[in-house]
Amino acid sequence: MTSDLSAPPRAGTTTAGRGTSPRPPFGVSAVSVLAVLIALFSLVPLGYVAYMTVATGWDTAVGLILRPRVGELLLNTLLLMAATIPLCLLLGVAGAWLVERTKLRGHRIWAVLLAAPLAVPAFVNSYAWVSAIPSLGGLWSGILISTLSYFPLVYIPAAATLSRLDPAIEQSAAALGLGAWRTFFRVVLPQLRIALTGGALLVGLHLLAEYGAFAMIRFDTFTTAIMTQYQSTFNGAAGNMLASVLVFFCLLLLVAEVRSRGTARYARIGSGVQAKALRLPLHAYQLPAQLFLLALTALAFGLPLYYVMRWILAGGADIWTASEFLPALLSTFTYGLAGAAATTVVAFPMAYLAVRHPGWFSKSLELSNYVTSSMPGIVVALAFVTVSIRMVPGVYQTAGLLVAAYVLLFLPRALVNLRAGLAQAPKELDEAAQALGKPPLLAFIRVTLRLTAPAAAGGAALVFLAIANELTATLLLSPNGTRTLATEFWSKSSEIDYAGAAPYALLMILLSAPMTYLLFQQSKKVAGQ
Amino acid sequence: MKIRNSALAGIALAATAALGLTACGGATPAGDSSSSASGGAASGEITVYNAQHESLTKEWVDAFTAETGIKVTMRQGSDTELSNQIIQEGQASPADVFLTENSPAMTQVENAGLFADVNKDTLAQVPAEFAPSTGKWTGIAARSTVLVYNKTKLAEDQLPKSMLDLAKPEWKGKWAASPSGADFQAIVSALLELKGESATEEWLKGMKENSKAYKGNSTAMKAVNAGEVDAALIYHYYYYGDQAKTGENSSNVTPYYFKNQDPGAFLSVSGGGVLKSSKNAAAAQEFLKFITGKKGQEVLKNGTSFEYAIGSDVPANDKLVPIKDLQAPKVDAAKLNSEKVTDLMTQAGLL
């Protein structure tokens, strides 16, 4: 649960016209200094992993990395990714195409339903599946659960792009004699490239980071093994070496995504209004298409919801009177709000530089954060625990440190939204306000900040969603006595108290649902740029 | 559209307000933890690093707070996670009391020199066999190793004579355990103490070959009950706890005790100790005295934890096999070594 739909840096940000920049509210240097500090801070976890690898000593490190157990984990993780990512791409694109490009009955409803599984945290999904089939375990179950949990990460951007694609190219292709299928593969699919590589990256990062879902079905990946090592040794060399391998994988994924995204331009050039895409008639395929979508949403969303409700009914009134219930809800809410606000504030300098002063400097600042936010929560948390105990014991086990971890993990969600918002707030307005005699700071607050507020709120909502479902970093870093919905759910379900866990699962889904809808709506807007 | 935008702006505003609150909260150890441990004998609040079952400690804490007015904050974790955490925290540890399910983690903290002496009157409540000779911590409860098996899949005469037999080829794929748990690691540490390093290594190798790993003892027992696996090496009370509830995870399950001083008959002592660095040592000692005292031990006898009561002459829950019939091997709790065990298990590829 490290990253989100809009995490990877999108190519090309729209910026306002050329002219001279308006005077920034606090001076460029102040904003830059802030951004640099944030970037440096976000490199702490990477530095920690590198430091621990060196400090462990070459021989010990090699011994811990080159052992059969790591080979097992490697194989598990690779097989999981090799099966799940293509499956997610297939389901995501098929769903998006049906919803956006065919005369599918009820396509408006299906469009939303296909995004809905994202509101079910993967570990809740796993819990439901284990309730349905108690013997679930191992690789196949891992593939099943993660595919059902993560295919919307491909579907949402794919659907957004499809709905915005200029049909003129397809029509030209058709006019030149290409059939529907060949048009799809030779014309439509290539234009989905950015959406698909981005979606695949997100699925990959989620697979690397997921803990709860896989622990519940006894499927070991690097993240579950790091957690196991952590519980056995707190901060042992073996766990840290596993973390370094995991970080290596995350970086590989990032590089792979950047490379496969390519440099081709997909935006439409020229004036005029884009034509509306034609919807393909389905004829005899209408029924199979309906059944396919029904099966998919039933398995990915219906089943978890059904089992959560079943456990709630089985548990009766007792499970709602538990005294831990309200504090968990309250602290989830507080951390969600605090984390969302902090992340948005921290993202601002970076977004500002990226939009108003684009260049290698702002790019590298952003990149440093993408690297960190691609790391699993557990690695960031391990780094924070160790660094804070040794160097700043005052912040150890404070709410502040946990919020700081959330900020690092979820910054891109706020950043991408803020950037889009800032880009739409023309700097000329700021200039005009300054020319009319407003001091820079006031002009900035009255004009730019106000225009950016909706985008900032959208980003904050996404961060809130991520925090509400975060498990590993919360388990490791939370202040004494803190319980969140996610940690309570986890503690109950690992004691096989499935009924007691159910209300927490339901609440997490209820909290996530509106945010997922928002994400779905936002993606359509962003794709239009 | 307009409406939604202003609603979002509202969220942003509320969020910013919340940030202000946290920024203030961040300066002090946050939440309702023990930041203000005021002095004075046995009052104020303490923080317990709890590796015992959350529900059991909660029962103790609630009774203790009701009696003394001392507020208790718990941090939940596993035995060795918390012991290693305390060691890394050193003098700065916010923990006042450390409770475990087993004793190896206690020994680890003791060896790091971080425990204060347990008060004499507390030690007097616990028989010597359940406390280390050093008096740096005390036993608070006990749990017996047991092989739970599925009676539809295994007949009594197919059961192993010794826990060591489980490493033999005929047990391949037939048994389960939770190797990541402190419970299981304590059993291995007893094996290490009783049979030595090379025998333990051999056995762990066989285990890696033969066993299925589950996360948590209850999950392993659930698998036995469902017939996914024939047997599981766990502690006794998961069975009794489930029987006392609905029995849905143990209806096909029978517990089998190895007895005969076998390593598989190991009786594991749960420990409790007071940290030297405690800022409220009086209240911390009071808490330890309470749980080893009559009221605390009666929570074990009458409650739903089904762990063995060991102190203040409180007998075990009468549903359990009495301790004297378990024929447990004699193991000095102070000698159990958790670091070596995690190393060996990491080498064997179990962790």
Side-chain angles (χ1 to χ4, degrees):
Chain A
M1 280 167 261
T2 27
S3 212
D4 82 306
L5 273 181
S6 31
R10 300 277 177 240
T13 313
T14 342
T15 46
R18 283 208 187 95
T20 46
S21 296
R23 281 205 292 140
F26 323 102
V28 178
S29 54
V31 179
S32 303
V33 167
L34 269 179
V36 168
L37 284 179
I38 294 160
L40 283 180
F41 182 59
S42 73
L43 285 176
V44 165
L46 188 66
Y48 156 82
V49 171
Y51 172 81
M52 288 312 273
T53 311
V54 173
T56 302
W58 184 247
D59 290 344
T60 320
V62 168
L64 282 169
I65 291 173
L66 299 181
R67 63 191 177 105
R69 175 67 173 158
V70 177
E72 282 168 35
L73 298 174
L74 198 62
L75 190 68
N76 276 358
T77 308
L78 288 180
L79 288 176
L80 177 75
M81 304 225 304
T84 308
I85 295 179
L87 274 172
C88 285
L89 286 173
L90 190 72
L91 292 175
V93 172
W97 187 75
L98 281 173
V99 161
E100 295 293 341
R101 283 307 179 80
T102 68
K103 291 188 171 153
L104 181 77
R105 294 249 165 87
H107 62 84
R108 286 209 177 77
I109 298 166
W110 283 123
V112 177
L113 279 180
L114 283 175
L118 214 55
V120 183
F123 55 111
V124 171
N125 212 348
S126 195
Y127 150 93
W129 275 92
V130 165
S131 303
I133 310 171
S135 62
L136 273 189
L139 178 65
W140 293 111
S141 315
I143 294 172
L144 172 81
I145 286 162
S146 45
T147 301
L148 291 177
S149 299
Y150 299 138
F151 81 86
L153 294 175
V154 176
Y155 160 75
I156 293 179
T161 313
L162 273 179
S163 74
R164 293 282 184 151
L165 273 190
D166 189 345
I169 313 176
E170 287 160 68
Q171 284 155 5
S172 313
L176 290 169
L178 278 188
W181 281 106
R182 285 166 75 190
T183 306
F184 178 78
F185 280 104
R186 292 184 44 189
V187 178
V188 179
L189 211 53
Q191 300 194 72
L192 288 178
R193 191 157 153 186
I194 289 183
L196 295 192
T197 50
L201 170 70
L202 286 171
V203 174
L205 291 175
H206 275 81
L207 292 177
L208 289 181
E210 181 58 49
Y211 166 69
F214 296 145
M216 212 166 316
I217 53 166
R218 304 184 303 107
F219 178 63
D220 284 334
T221 65
F222 280 97
T223 294
T224 63
I226 293 170
M227 196 68 179
T228 303
Q229 277 289 347
Y230 174 81
Q231 283 166 352
S232 305
T233 57
F234 187 64
N235 187 19
N240 280 309
M241 290 312 101
L242 291 179
S244 71
V245 179
L246 183 55
V247 166
F248 176 72
F249 268 108
C250 293
L251 295 181
L252 267 189
L253 272 186
L254 274 184
V255 172
E257 196 262 350
V258 169
R259 295 200 68 125
S260 65
R261 198 197 304 147
T263 50
R265 216 190 122 101
Y266 301 105
R268 144 175 212 281
I269 306 169
S271 56
V273 179
Q274 181 171 316
K276 248 189 140 45
L278 291 177
R279 288 185 178 271
L280 226 62
L282 280 172
H283 303 303
Y285 296 107
Q286 182 72 247
L287 187 65
Q290 295 284 347
L291 289 178
F292 163 70
L293 295 180
L294 184 68
L296 184 59
T297 44
L299 293 180
F301 190 65
L303 186 133
L305 212 59
Y306 171 76
Y307 275 96
V308 168
M309 293 317 290
R310 227 183 79 151
W311 282 118
I312 282 182
L313 292 177
D318 289 355
I319 51 174
W320 293 96
T321 53
S323 58
E324 340 42 288
F325 180 71
L326 272 180
L329 184 60
L330 193 68
S331 66
T332 303
F333 232 88
T334 317
Y335 275 110
L337 285 181
T343 310
T344 310
V345 169
V346 167
F348 211 92
M350 279 191 179
Y352 187 84
L353 284 181
V355 172
R356 297 281 165 95
H357 304 276
W360 65 268
F361 177 66
S362 53
K363 264 263 167 320
S364 45
L365 287 184
E366 266 185 68
L367 197 69
S368 70
N369 180 258
Y370 286 125
V371 168
T372 296
S373 59
S374 75
M375 291 183 194
I378 187 158
V379 176
V380 174
L382 263 177
F384 273 28
V385 166
T386 314
V387 172
S388 68
I389 285 185
R390 293 191 190 162
M391 291 159 79
V392 264
V395 302
Y396 173 67
Q397 282 186 0
T398 58
L401 194 66
L402 180 56
V403 170
Y406 290 148
V407 169
L408 289 199
L409 286 170
F410 305 128
L411 195 55
R413 297 181 181 223
L415 195 53
V416 172
N417 275 280
L418 261 184
R419 244 177 25 185
L422 268 173
Q424 283 160 8
K427 63 181 177 184
E428 286 76 9
L429 289 182
D430 212 337
E431 284 168 345
Q434 288 184 31
L436 289 170
K438 293 267 185 252
L441 182 59
L442 197 64
F444 174 78
I445 293 173
R446 295 278 287 273
V447 177
T448 306
L449 214 51
R450 239 174 83 184
L451 287 171
T452 319
L462 293 181
V463 176
F464 178 90
L465 166 69
I467 293 173
N469 298 334
E470 212 287 337
L471 183 62
T472 45
T474 314
L475 284 175
L476 269 62
L477 289 175
S478 61
N480 290 322
T482 305
R483 292 181 173 84
T484 66
L485 294 177
T487 62
E488 278 299 294
F489 170 81
W490 181 245
S491 125
K492 293 264 192 302
S493 61
S494 42
E495 280 300 317
I496 59 174
D497 181 2
Y498 288 169
Y504 299 101
L506 184 65
L507 274 171
M508 279 189 280
I509 295 175
L510 289 179
L511 273 181
S512 307
M515 310 293 174
T516 304
Y517 187 69
L518 187 79
L519 177 65
F520 174 70
Q521 294 285 5
Q522 284 257 329
S523 69
K524 302 227 158 178
K525 273 194 255 160
V526 173
Q529 282 181 15
Chain B
M1 187 57 86
K2 271 266 146 38
I3 295 170
R4 214 188 65 222
N5 282 352
S6 57
L8 289 180
I11 297 177
L13 215 79
T16 318
L19 175 72
L21 291 177
T22 344
C24 303
T28 57
D32 49 356
S33 74
S34 64
S35 55
S36 59
S38 54
S43 65
E45 30 184 296
I46 54 170
T47 296
V48 173
Y49 273 26
N50 181 47
Q52 249 300 349
H53 281 240
E54 205 169 348
S55 47
L56 171 62
T57 306
K58 227 175 155 298
E59 275 185 78
W60 274 333
V61 163
D62 290 346
F64 175 71
T65 306
E67 186 169 296
T68 61
I70 297 170
K71 204 175 157 243
V72 180
T73 302
M74 277 160 64
R75 182 179 193 87
Q76 193 63 27
S78 80
D79 276 11
T80 36
E81 173 189 349
L82 293 180
S83 62
N84 284 295
Q85 184 167 2
I86 287 171
I87 290 167
Q88 293 227 3
E89 288 166 357
Q91 293 307 311
S93 179
D96 298 289
V97 176
F98 179 32
L99 300 183
T100 62
E101 295 182 336
N102 301 285
S103 53
M106 300 304 292
T107 310
Q108 206 189 345
V109 175
E110 179 184 346
N111 290 343
L114 295 174
F115 274 139
D117 289 324
V118 173
N119 277 358
K120 289 256 153 36
D121 40 352
T122 302
L123 284 176
Q125 299 185 126
V126 181
E129 52 186 304
F130 296 120
S133 46
T134 54
K136 288 290 183 184
W137 54 272
T138 174
I140 55 174
R143 34 180 70 193
S144 171
T145 314
V146 65
L147 187 76
V148 290
Y149 66 98
N150 187 312
K151 50 199 172 196
T152 66
K153 299 191 90 183
L154 282 183
E156 237 172 283
D157 58 345
Q158 289 171 296
L159 294 171
K161 288 272 169 304
S162 161
M163 178 179 101
L164 298 176
D165 295 341
L166 294 173
K168 290 180 179 166
E170 63 259 33
W171 279 90
K172 191 172 165 69
K174 288 192 173 161
W175 65 286
S178 171
S180 62
D183 283 1
F184 190 80
Q185 290 168 16
I187 297 174
V188 178
S189 71
L191 176 65
L192 180 64
E193 178 61 20
L194 289 164
K195 301 284 174 187
E197 189 170 329
S198 61
T200 307
E201 268 181 326
E202 270 309 297
W203 190 77
L204 288 173
K205 243 187 252 166
M207 170 178 178
K208 171 79 183 169
E209 239 349 81
N210 290 354
S211 73
K212 273 191 179 179
Y214 284 82
K215 203 187 169 307
N217 283 333
S218 15
T219 325
M221 182 178 72
K222 185 168 175 268
V224 173
N225 189 58
E228 287 167 41
V229 65
D230 294 357
L233 197 61
I234 59 173
Y235 281 150
H236 74 279
Y237 62 91
Y238 292 95
Y239 171 77
Y240 295 96
D242 194 68
Q243 286 285 303
K245 279 193 265 174
T246 57
E248 65 177 314
N249 295 312
S250 61
S251 50
N252 300 322
V253 166
T254 310
Y256 166 66
Y257 294 86
F258 287 100
K259 300 193 176 177
N260 299 315
Q261 280 76 42
D262 188 79
F266 171 59
L267 186 67
S268 188
V269 174
S270 307
V274 172
L275 277 301
K276 233 185 218 167
S277 55
S278 168
K279 284 169 206 73
N280 193 359
Q285 292 284 359
E286 199 59 33
F287 181 66
L288 212 51
K289 186 178 165 194
F290 176 84
I291 60 178
T292 52
K294 211 162 189 73
K295 280 184 191 158
Q297 294 293 301
E298 270 168 0
V299 167
L300 294 169
K301 177 177 178 280
N302 304 323
T304 51
S305 73
F306 293 96
E307 290 187 51
Y308 283 102
I310 53 171
S312 300
D313 299 319
V314 176
N317 189 307
D318 35 323
K319 293 212 174 70
L320 303 180
V321 181
I323 285 189
K324 60 175 179 6
D325 297 343
L326 292 173
Q327 301 173 13
K330 262 202 172 1
V331 187
D332 181 359
K335 285 201 178 136
L336 298 182
N337 186 336
S338 66
E339 275 161 79
K340 186 82 205 166
V341 165
T342 20
D343 280 353
L344 289 175
M345 290 180 69
T346 301
Q347 275 169 36
L350 288 160
L351 290 180

